Amino acid sequence: MWTAFILILPLTLSINPATWIGDNLNIIGDKTLKNLTMPGTHDSGTYWLTTTPMPGDQSDLWEDLYKLADILDEDVGNVAKEWAQSQDKNFYQQMQGGIRYFDLRAGWQNNTKKWVTYHFVEGSPVQYLLGNISSYLHDYPKEIVIVEMSHFEGSPTSAEITSLKNMVLNTLGPYLAPVDLSFNFTINQMINTGKRALVTMQQDYDSINIWPPSAIHNTYADTSDLKDMVEYNNKTVAKFMNGTWPGTLFKISWTLTPDTDTVLESVLPWKPSTLLELANNANKALPSFDTQMATYKWKAGNILIIDHFENSVVLKAACGFNGIPY
Ligand SMILES: *[C@@H]1O[C@H](CO)[C@@H](O)[C@H](O)[C@H]1NC(C)=O
Ligand SMILES: *[C@@H]1O[C@H](CO)[C@@H](O)[C@H](O)[C@H]1NC(C)=O
Ligand SMILES: *[C@@H]1O[C@H](CO)[C@@H](O)[C@H](O)[C@H]1NC(C)=O
Ligand SMILES: *[C@@H]1O[C@H](CO)[C@@H](O)[C@H](O)[C@H]1NC(C)=O
Ligand SMILES: *[C@@H]1O[C@H](CO)[C@@H](O)[C@H](O)[C@H]1NC(C)=O
Ligand SMILES: *[C@@H]1O[C@H](CO)[C@@H](O)[C@H](O)[C@H]1NC(C)=O
């Protein structure tokens, strides 16, 4: 009987992804966001996509997507979707899985007069994504979140961008962490005041409740080659550890970016034919990078983002950087 008890013990002590912040306030409560690494997703809203191209999307990859659609004799929307989807869980599920940062790309859909998320093609209304975050913060009063809203394509007018800001204020209002670029507030203070959502906007931020885009320092390797990506992030983490980066949270992207070859090689059976498959290649390499970072006593930035997150060790890695036993 006692043997059974001892065997069960480690399981009951392992972390719960849904509540990992609230459960570990004894370790991270007095730290600031600048002292921590938050696990996040890249192109967070792509878990559901239509086949309708986002008007005004400037990506160079469209030309390749058209070529591939031609080769495969398929609708370009279907082909684009395969190379656009980098997540398969909604925001509530992502937060249940431990994710605490969202890369929320918002495009203006001028026909329906709606803000939608997108990556090449259109996805869910932004209102749904914000609604999921609001539900989560309501259901889990000791959890926090960072949201970066950017890539406002679709030629929105300034009034339309203001309507996006009002949507944020209306949906997340009571949770919004007031702008304080000194970042001197602790996780405990965020939780005790209930101001648990830090939201940045590319434009029309009010600098009161909506943070400027400079509050997050973006880095990404912009390569489809795994070795180059690892090398880039090794150098970028070294740069992060060597500075204090006042007024900003430093973001590391553990992601591969498809290029012309990646897209056109979809037709080869041994090559990735979707962005999720490409992501799996990147994700397999995170554990050894994580081990190396740990031996140097380095942290992979304040925010570490990934594609296809549930198929990765991103939460385990972040917990390690934050001193939380996993
Ligand atoms: C936390 O970050 C602040 C800067 O925001 C720094 O002054 C402090 O030394 C850091 N504390 C720890 C425990 O790393
Ligand atoms: C958006 O739609 C309106 C009509 O509702 C039209 O007047 C305007 O030119 C459109 N804007 C763009 C950028 O297409
Ligand atoms: C989260 O958003 C999805 C739509 O993307 C919706 O179907 C679901 O009901 C929402 N869940 C919660 C808990 O708000
Ligand atoms: C953080 O610093 C600002 C000044 O930059 C100050 O007004 C604020 O009270 C400080 N907050 C905390 C929690 O120490
Ligand atoms: C990371 O950089 C260090 C030197 O700063 C080097 O010794 C190490 O081999 C590099 N690791 C990878 C995976 O590139
Ligand atoms: C570290 O920072 C100092 C000055 O801030 C700079 O001179 C040096 O080149 C940096 N080293 C690395 C490895 O980035």
Side-chain angles (χ1 to χ4, degrees):
M1 188 187 164
W2 285 106
T3 321
F5 179 73
I6 288 160
L7 284 175
I8 286 163
L9 200 59
L11 288 176
T12 55
L13 284 177
S14 76
I15 81 150
N16 178 353
T19 52
W20 71 269
I21 299 219
D23 293 343
N24 290 288
L25 291 176
N26 58 330
I27 299 168
I28 62 171
D30 289 330
K31 297 206 171 158
T32 70
L33 291 171
K34 295 280 288 179
N35 302 131
L36 296 170
T37 308
M38 290 294 145
T41 48
H42 172 239
D43 273 317
S44 310
T46 54
Y47 60 89
W48 185 84
L49 293 168
T50 65
T51 55
T52 310
M54 179 66 216
D57 181 8
Q58 300 296 316
S59 173
D60 295 339
L61 221 54
W62 269 113
E63 205 181 306
D64 307 316
L65 293 169
Y66 273 102
K67 269 190 214 152
L68 179 62
D70 211 37
I71 297 168
L72 298 175
D73 196 19
E74 270 208 55
D75 178 69
V76 73
N78 285 325
V79 170
K81 205 168 137 175
E82 298 291 308
W83 281 106
Q85 187 182 3
S86 66
Q87 307 298 339
D88 49 19
K89 306 253 186 241
N90 72 30
F91 277 24
Y92 197 93
Q93 293 164 330
Q94 289 186 37
M95 291 195 76
Q96 282 179 316
I99 292 303
R100 295 295 178 266
Y101 160 91
F102 292 116
D103 164 22
L104 199 174
R105 302 180 183 210
W108 174 250
Q109 182 21 284
N110 200 40
N111 297 330
T112 56
K113 306 285 170 212
K114 272 201 174 99
W115 282 97
V116 294
T117 196
Y118 72 95
H119 187 199
F120 308 140
V121 286
E122 294 174 8
S124 306
V126 172
Q127 181 66 72
Y128 290 6
L129 311 180
L130 297 175
N132 266 205
I133 296 173
S134 168
S135 303
Y136 201 86
L137 295 176
H138 171 266
D139 295 349
Y140 296 89
K142 291 186 175 172
E143 299 305 309
I144 67 163
V145 69
I146 300 168
V147 186
E148 182 175 19
M149 299 180 70
S150 68
H151 295 71
F152 298 169
E153 300 287 3
S155 310
T157 63
S158 58
E160 282 147 5
I161 296 177
T162 301
S163 76
L164 180 64
K165 178 174 73 181
N166 289 335
M167 190 194 297
V168 174
L169 295 173
N170 290 334
T171 312
L172 295 175
Y175 299 120
L176 292 173
V179 177
D180 178 355
L181 292 167
S182 75
F183 283 104
N184 57 359
F185 53 91
T186 63
I187 301 298
N188 276 334
Q189 285 168 330
M190 291 179 85
I191 291 170
N192 293 340
T193 57
K195 306 291 184 194
R196 295 177 284 130
L198 189 164
V199 181
T200 76
M201 272 179 72
Q202 167 194 317
Q203 272 168 276
D204 203 26
Y205 44 88
D206 58 13
S207 294
I208 302 167
N209 291 309
I210 313 265
W211 295 57
S214 63
I216 296 172
H217 177 76
N218 277 299
T219 68
Y220 79 115
D222 197 9
T223 176
S224 62
D225 185 89
L226 180 61
K227 204 165 150 280
D228 291 349
M229 188 271 273
V230 173
E231 209 169 288
Y232 172 90
N233 277 320
N234 193 29
K235 288 208 182 83
T236 307
V237 173
K239 194 171 143 196
F240 165 67
M241 293 305 297
N242 188 37
T244 55
W245 309 98
T248 199
L249 298 174
F250 199 106
K251 186 168 107 190
I252 300 286
S253 306
W254 195 262
T255 57
L256 293 173
T257 308
D259 58 16
T260 298
D261 288 346
T262 335
V263 169
L264 296 180
E265 284 170 4
S266 295
V267 294
L268 304 174
W270 59 92
K271 294 282 187 176
S273 59
T274 67
L275 185 52
L276 288 172
E277 284 174 24
L278 184 68
N280 292 343
N281 292 345
N283 294 1
K284 271 183 224 145
L286 185 56
S288 67
F289 185 74
D290 182 32
T291 307
Q292 193 170 24
M293 295 294 103
T295 57
Y296 298 165
K297 299 208 174 359
W298 283 0
K299 273 191 211 314
N302 301 121
I303 299 169
L304 172 62
I305 65 163
I306 198 144
D307 287 320
H308 207 191
F309 86 92
E310 77 276 22
N311 202 20
S312 80
V313 298
V314 71
L315 177 58
K316 179 172 188 272
C319 283
F321 297 136
N322 296 334
I324 297 173
Y326 190 86

